[in-house]
């Protein structure tokens, strides 16, 4: 029985560097409440559903995102349905293991040229005020390792703090994901994800005149000024994803 | 980090609160209670909140800081926030945040000088001997 995990990784690999693709896979499996190591044949539809929820954090452009989900879905439907319940696949020795998402960075990965230290962000679950401090510290650390100036490190750490605080104040539970943008220009991406009530009118919140009782508008608008880009995807009932990025100049 | 409590140092007529590193919200709430109680119990005339050890201030923490200073002011104590790091100051400005109604100073020393000067000014205004005579 072919295991779809590698095919999924291959597809995700068209959109992300390998380490990030594995992180996306793992985070999707976890969020979908599935086996954390592999995509199982019997759980294909759950996986696609989970991917639709996870991917907005990583691919902001809706067109590209839809294309990626479409590819994964097609991959799945061409797989023959399992005739017999297959035993749970064990992770093979050559499968790179992605460390727990909450881990920091400085992860050592074998590459063709030997061992290199890769910069990897992390995922911080936000449930208490102390988690905000953690998100803030991790953002600063990743920014520092990327080579951002002290001022930019401060701006980035502050942005992470604002986003984490919005989660705590308005939803009470969510995640802050800090990742490295690879490419001709490197950068940092901070995504705040929750499954709360959502923001009914994003335009209003980002409007310059708006100020909520608790100052949330200020937080998001302020965050936008600190970073290069900020996008909000929010629908009432499904939660809010705020993705913000800053590139090295 | 559990039970972290920010110390309040009494220096003659002033209270000095040195804040270091990241402050969790509950610590800040405790601090505000502690400071107002110390003001009520003692004879403090000035309060310096030194943030030179703070690397990040988000909008919520900035508001807490301002509330701390303003609650002291409401109790008749002059409050000064000192030692804001350049990167933090620029970040606050960029976000459109200010600390209105609160005195600021470059560092702790300048903050104490400022309190002294304000006190002298007040003493002159009501015709009392200022700190110089103490």
């Amino acid at each position: 029985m072919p295991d779809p995990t590698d095919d999924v990784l291959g597809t995700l690999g068209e959109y992300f560097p390998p380490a990030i693709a594995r992180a996306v896979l793992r985070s999707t499996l976890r969020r979908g409440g599935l086996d954390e190591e592999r995509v199982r044949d019997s759980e294909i539809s759950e996986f696609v559903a989970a991917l639709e929820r996870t991917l907005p954090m990583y691919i902001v452009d809706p067109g590209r995102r839809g294309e990626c989900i479409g590819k994964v879905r097609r991959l799945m439907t061409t797989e023959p349905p399992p005739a017999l319940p297959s035993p749970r696949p064990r992770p093979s020795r050559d499968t790179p293991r992605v460390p727990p998402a909450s881990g920091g960075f400085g992860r050592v990965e074998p590459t063709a040229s030997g061992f290199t230290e890769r910069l990897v962000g992390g995922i911080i679950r936000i449930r208490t005020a102390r988690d905000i401090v953690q998100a803030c510290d991790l953002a600063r650390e990743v920014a520092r390792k990327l080579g951002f100036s002290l001022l930019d490190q401060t701006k980035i750490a502050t942005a992470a703090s604002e986003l984490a605080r919005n989660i705590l104040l308005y939803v009470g539970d969510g995640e802050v994901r800090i990742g490295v943008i690879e490419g001709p220009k490197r950068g940092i991406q901070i995504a705040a994800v929750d499954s709360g009530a959502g923001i009914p009118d994003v335009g209003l919140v980002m409007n310059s005149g708006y100020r909520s009782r608790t100052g949330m508008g200020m937080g998001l608008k302020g965050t936008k000024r600190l970073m290069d880009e900020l996008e909000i995807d929010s629908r009432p009932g499904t939660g809010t994803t705020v993705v913000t990025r800053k590139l090295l100049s | 980090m559990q039970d972290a409590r920010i110390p309040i140092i009494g220096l003659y007529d002033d209270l000095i609160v040195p804040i270091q590193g990241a402050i969790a919200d509950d610590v800040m709430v405790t601090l505000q209670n502690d400071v107002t109680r110390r003001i009520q119990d003692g004879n403090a005339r000035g309060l310096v909140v030194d943030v030179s050890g703070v690397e990040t201030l988000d909008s919520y923490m900035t508001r807490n800081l301002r509330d701390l200073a303003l609650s002291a002011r409401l109790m008749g104590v002059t409050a000064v926030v000192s030692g804001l790091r350049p990167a933090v100051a620029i970040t606050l400005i960029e976000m459109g945040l200010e600390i209105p109604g609160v005195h600021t100073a470059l560092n702790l020393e300048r903050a104490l000088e400022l309190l002294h000067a304000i006190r002298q000014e007040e003493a002159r205004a009501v015709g009392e001997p200022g700190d110089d005579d103490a």
Side-chain angles (χ1 to χ4, degrees):
Chain A
M1 183 62 56
D3 183 62
T5 310
D6 291 335
D7 294 333
V8 173
L9 267 179
T11 304
L12 291 174
E14 295 171 28
Y15 296 85
F16 307 103
I20 307 289
R22 278 193 296 278
V24 172
L25 174 74
R26 202 183 157 91
S27 121
T28 303
L29 288 167
R30 205 189 47 241
R31 281 172 68 88
L34 307 170
D35 178 338
E36 296 209 1
E37 295 296 335
R38 318 291 291 171
V39 182
R40 282 194 273 175
D41 285 325
S42 53
E43 294 172 336
I44 281 168
S45 54
E46 289 94 315
F47 177 78
V48 175
L51 188 65
E52 281 172 347
R53 292 198 298 276
T54 320
L55 219 50
M57 282 169 266
Y58 299 97
I59 303 179
V60 176
D61 178 65
R64 253 174 87 75
R65 189 163 72 224
E67 182 193 281
C68 180
I69 290 171
K71 277 189 190 173
V72 173
R73 188 178 285 131
R74 275 197 298 282
L75 203 68
M76 302 288 179
T77 48
T78 54
E79 290 293 332
L84 287 167
S86 53
R88 177 177 164 148
R90 305 176 68 96
S92 60
R93 233 158 43 83
D94 55 84
T95 306
R97 276 186 58 89
V98 179
S102 58
F105 40 87
R107 173 153 65 98
V108 174
E109 281 199 343
T111 63
S113 59
F115 283 89
T116 10
E117 193 189 50
R118 280 195 76 93
L119 274 168
V120 175
I123 299 176
I124 311 244
R125 179 112 185 245
I126 306 295
R127 277 173 298 185
T128 70
R130 290 177 198 279
D131 299 331
I132 298 177
V133 175
Q134 253 207 305
C136 177
D137 286 349
L138 179 62
R140 180 181 288 273
E141 196 59 23
V142 172
R144 189 181 62 77
K145 289 210 168 184
L146 272 167
F148 279 104
S149 70
L150 180 64
L151 175 57
D152 281 342
Q153 289 172 35
T154 303
K155 288 180 182 177
I156 290 162
T158 306
S161 188
E162 293 289 342
L163 293 178
R165 193 169 299 284
N166 280 349
I167 290 176
L168 189 69
L169 287 179
Y170 296 94
V171 184
D173 192 350
E175 284 178 356
V176 167
R177 300 160 172 261
I178 297 164
V180 172
I181 302 166
E182 304 279 2
K185 270 194 169 185
R186 303 184 83 199
I188 188 167
Q189 171 169 300
I190 305 171
V193 185
D194 68 61
S195 45
I199 305 170
D201 189 345
V202 172
L204 177 69
V205 172
M206 296 307 284
N207 187 302
S208 59
Y210 178 79
R211 186 154 198 189
S212 71
R213 180 172 45 86
T214 34
M216 168 154 180
M218 209 47 156
L220 276 182
K221 274 182 291 175
T223 307
K224 188 171 189 174
R225 290 195 205 122
L226 298 179
M227 305 289 281
D228 292 341
E229 297 167 23
L230 182 139
E231 287 142 31
I232 304 172
D233 181 15
S234 183
R235 264 153 295 171
T238 58
T240 303
T241 299
V242 181
V243 180
T244 178
R245 299 184 201 88
K246 198 175 187 73
L247 297 174
L248 280 160
S249 42
Chain B
M1 205 154 113
Q2 237 60 35
D3 294 326
R5 209 185 187 104
I6 296 168
I8 302 171
I9 301 158
L11 181 73
Y12 302 107
D13 288 344
D14 299 322
L15 297 177
I16 299 171
V17 178
I19 300 184
Q20 297 286 330
I23 333 142
D25 304 1
D26 51 342
V27 177
M28 201 65 197
V29 170
T30 308
L31 177 66
Q32 193 166 2
N33 287 334
D34 288 353
V35 166
T36 46
R37 193 168 305 125
R38 277 286 287 272
I39 291 174
Q40 193 183 24
D41 292 350
N43 55 350
R45 297 172 70 183
L47 168 72
V48 182
V49 182
D50 186 74
V51 293
S52 56
V54 175
E55 289 187 324
T56 314
L57 274 181
D58 70 10
S59 59
Y60 187 86
M61 292 189 274
T62 306
R63 199 169 58 237
N64 276 338
L65 191 63
R66 188 199 58 193
D67 288 353
L68 174 67
L70 291 185
S71 56
R73 199 177 72 167
L74 277 176
M75 295 177 82
V77 169
T78 311
V80 183
V81 171
S82 71
L84 212 61
R85 292 186 180 202
V88 174
I90 294 170
T91 301
L92 291 184
I93 294 297
E94 203 115 321
M95 291 179 82
L97 292 171
E98 300 169 68
I99 318 181
V102 177
H103 294 288
T104 49
L106 182 65
N107 53 37
L108 184 56
E109 204 177 310
R110 295 271 179 88
L112 292 170
E113 285 169 14
L114 179 63
L115 283 178
H116 182 83
I118 291 170
R119 216 163 285 156
Q120 277 190 316
E121 194 64 37
E122 284 174 351
R124 230 191 326 273
V126 292
E128 279 179 4
D131 277 0
D132 275 354
D133 309 283

